Amino acid sequence: MARIILIVLALGLILAAGGFVFLGAFPPEPKTHPVEKTLPNDQFQAR
């Protein structure tokens, strides 16, 4: 029973290391958002 747990843990560590290597080789590109300029809304301000 202990051997199965160790094998599962070892496989998990190998998969995690592979994921880190993959993300290091092919990093995800950052999401870009267009800049939206806002104009002051003075319609409701007291004059």
Side-chain angles (χ1 to χ4, degrees), residues 5-45:
I5 295 173
L6 288 176
I7 291 172
V8 169
L9 286 175
L11 287 175
L13 287 174
I14 291 171
L15 286 174
F20 282 123
V21 169
F22 181 79
L23 285 176
F26 305 104
E29 300 202 6
K31 295 181 179 178
T32 57
H33 298 287
V35 176
E36 296 180 8
K37 294 183 178 180
T38 58
L39 298 174
N41 185 1
D42 58 354
Q43 179 180 359
F44 300 107
Q45 291 180 355

